[in-house]
Amino acid sequence: MKQWTALFLVMGALFTILFFTSDTFADETVTPTGEYVNLRDGPGLTYSVVGTLDAKKEATVLSTEGEWYEVKVGQQKGWVASWLVTAKSSEADVDAKADVIVATTDGLNVRSGPSIQSTVIGKMNAGVEAKRTLERDGWSYVTIDGMDGWVSNDYVQVIAANETDEPKQPDEEETTPLPTDDTFFVEVDQLNVRAEASLSSEKVGTVKRDESYLVLDRQDNWVQLALPNESKGWVYAFYGSFASDAPKQADDALVITTVADGTNVRTEPTTDAPIAKRLSAGEQFTVQREIDDWYAISVGGETAYVASWVVAKPSNDHVPSADKKASIPGTLNGISIVIDPGHGGRDRGTTGARGTKEKDLTLRTSHMLADKLRAAGASVHMTRESDVYVPLRTRAAVKDELGADAFISIHYDANTDSSIHGITSYYYHDNQQALTQTLNDSMMEAVSNNNRGAQFGDFLVIRENSADSVLLELGFLTNVAEEQLLTTTAFQEDITRGIYNGLLRYFND
């Protein structure tokens, strides 16, 4: 008898659990907080959309997983995000009208979750509008062209829902607006013109980037423009600037420039963080803030971090090098020098009779020279630290971008006549000749190679450069005997000591 009693109790408990569980889900319904919500075939934004649930419809909750509801509407089943719906049991009075956000930068990433680590599922360009149904931790959940995802609030402008309502009716005695003597400059590729100062107003045309129009009136975030053919219309003021209050760069704003192809920017200010993107040489960015030895910059509409030691920044107190002397006699303290290892990457330069690649030898020489100069107190920047390609114009720009005092381009020579040998020092402008001659004389004191002298040379890296820029050809790789000498450690030490001594002499005497 006791066994039967126990069995009935267990069965009763199981029935109760199943009954109430079934009733609980059957009684719970959800409705979208916006105009609609997508139904997906799984609990996540990466699952396919299988339908939609409109704002006026309720769906029955079948189960839950994480922050997702499995629901049924009619004969269709699917999953909806919990943050986009309201449960029937909720007492909250939810406004079904969503805000509108507008992207303020091109290439803004739309992600599967509210994090920079989440998968990118789409893009938004500057001026594109989207409806926002949720905000969380500095991110907005938006719907754009049937796609749902998250965008960073740092790169959008929010227009409250009540700003998109139908415009108020004008007074009976409407007066023609008077010109404000201001001009509006369009700063996005294409901007919609509307009949009234509202996103819900009729679209009456478009204006394009770099076009300018006389301002007739302003209303909140809207501006009325005088358009061709005596027409007029309203545009959202965020997408342009006014002649009267054109934004100016802050005096202390720091602009940095990448100096090599493949410069890494990372998701966090540490070399252990994932690489967010690789930049090309010559790209410029305004620094948002500095964190230790890292700069926070905006890349593709999102904040990323670049190391301060791989970019160039301007110097505001640079003294022309013709008048610049080392701050401590007998050293290079206070002197900034750019070393340019010739060629690199896909540009191998010349190849010696014995197979020596110029790009490898110039890098070896440059590193040895850099070590000597740093030991003497100089600030040294190399246009490349490894076997990468750097465009010539990028190399030539580094000196002025850094406010450096000298630019030394290291090369090895070649000629179809294999008997030609010796060292040549080149300048292009007159204000480069003094340093060129000083270095040439100093190198000849350090090595016994044939002296081809300091002479004029039409090379882009010195032609497109400023004072005290020099190109040094340290010998001919096409001469078998000289090639063998140039690759020795003894020659490398001697020639870099000669250049070093020449710079010491130039910036001290």
Side-chain angles (χ1 to χ4, degrees), residues 97 162-169 198 200-202:
K97 180 163 288 187
N162 57 13
E163 291 187 39
T164 64
D165 292 341
E166 289 297 324
K168 297 178 180 178
Q169 294 298 320
S198 168
S200 60
S201 179
E202 177 188 1

Side-chain angles (χ1 to χ4, degrees), residues 59-106:
T60 302
V61 177
L62 302 177
S63 65
T64 63
E65 182 173 326
E67 296 187 40
W68 290 78
Y69 291 120
E70 184 185 20
V71 300
K72 182 178 181 180
V73 52
Q75 299 301 312
Q76 187 173 28
K77 294 181 180 180
W79 292 81
V80 295
S82 62
W83 60 88
L84 297 177
V85 296
T86 302
K88 185 177 181 179
S89 58
S90 173
E91 298 179 359
D93 181 15
V94 179
D95 184 359
K97 180 163 288 187
D99 289 342
V100 173
I101 63 99
V102 185
T104 61
T105 184
D106 284 331

Side-chain angles (χ1 to χ4, degrees), residues 360-437:
D360 295 336
L361 194 55
T362 60
L363 187 61
R364 176 185 171 190
T365 307
S366 296
H367 278 300
M368 293 179 71
L369 176 59
D371 289 342
K372 290 179 171 63
L373 297 178
R374 289 185 178 117
S379 172
V380 178
H381 183 93
M382 293 176 60
T383 59
R384 67 180 181 98
E385 298 271 358
S386 58
D387 185 20
V388 295
Y389 174 76
V390 181
L392 293 178
R393 292 189 182 278
T394 301
R395 297 170 187 258
V398 172
K399 178 176 180 289
D400 285 343
E401 287 170 354
L402 289 173
D405 301 299
F407 177 93
I408 314 296
S409 189
I410 303 296
H411 287 260
Y412 288 89
D413 224 332
N415 198 291
T416 54
D417 184 350
S418 61
S419 67
I420 295 177
H421 61 287
I423 294 174
T424 319
S425 303
Y426 290 101
Y427 63 89
Y428 183 87
H429 301 287
D430 290 344
N431 58 10
Q432 300 168 346
Q433 188 172 358
L435 177 58
T436 306
Q437 188 64 60

Side-chain angles (χ1 to χ4, degrees), residues 147-307:
M147 174 179 65
D148 296 327
W150 295 86
V151 295
S152 171
N153 288 349
D154 292 337
Y155 307 103
V156 299
Q157 176 79 7
V158 180
I159 306 172
N162 57 13
E163 291 187 39
T164 64
D165 292 341
E166 289 297 324
K168 297 178 180 178
Q169 294 298 320
D171 296 336
E172 292 183 4
E173 296 182 1
E174 183 177 359
T175 59
T176 302
L178 297 176
T180 62
D181 293 328
D182 203 354
T183 302
F184 181 80
F185 299 92
V186 182
E187 295 181 348
V188 292
D189 291 338
Q190 183 169 294
L191 179 58
N192 290 333
V193 180
R194 299 186 183 274
E196 301 291 342
S198 168
L199 286 173
S200 60
S201 179
E202 177 188 1
K203 176 182 170 183
V204 295
T206 58
V207 291
K208 297 182 179 180
R209 184 184 295 275
D210 297 330
E211 293 179 348
S212 59
Y213 298 92
L214 182 67
V215 174
L216 298 178
D217 195 9
R218 295 195 198 188
Q219 181 177 319
D220 297 325
N221 293 321
W222 294 83
V223 56
Q224 188 182 43
L225 306 180
L227 302 173
N229 301 321
E230 298 184 354
S231 61
K232 57 190 177 183
W234 293 85
V235 298
Y236 198 60
F238 185 80
Y239 303 127
S241 61
F242 297 92
S244 60
D245 57 0
K248 296 181 180 179
Q249 189 178 48
D251 291 338
D252 58 352
L254 175 61
V255 177
I256 58 172
T257 306
T258 55
V259 296
D261 286 335
T263 298
N264 293 330
V265 290
R266 299 181 182 273
T267 57
E268 299 292 338
T270 170
T271 54
D272 296 328
I275 296 172
K277 188 176 181 181
R278 288 186 171 88
L279 304 175
S280 300
E283 295 189 55
Q284 291 190 325
F285 300 89
T286 299
V287 174
Q288 298 173 342
R289 62 186 183 278
E290 297 183 37
I291 303 174
D292 296 327
D293 292 328
W294 293 78
Y295 295 130
I297 60 176
S298 175
V299 179
E302 296 185 356
T303 299
Y305 302 87
V306 61

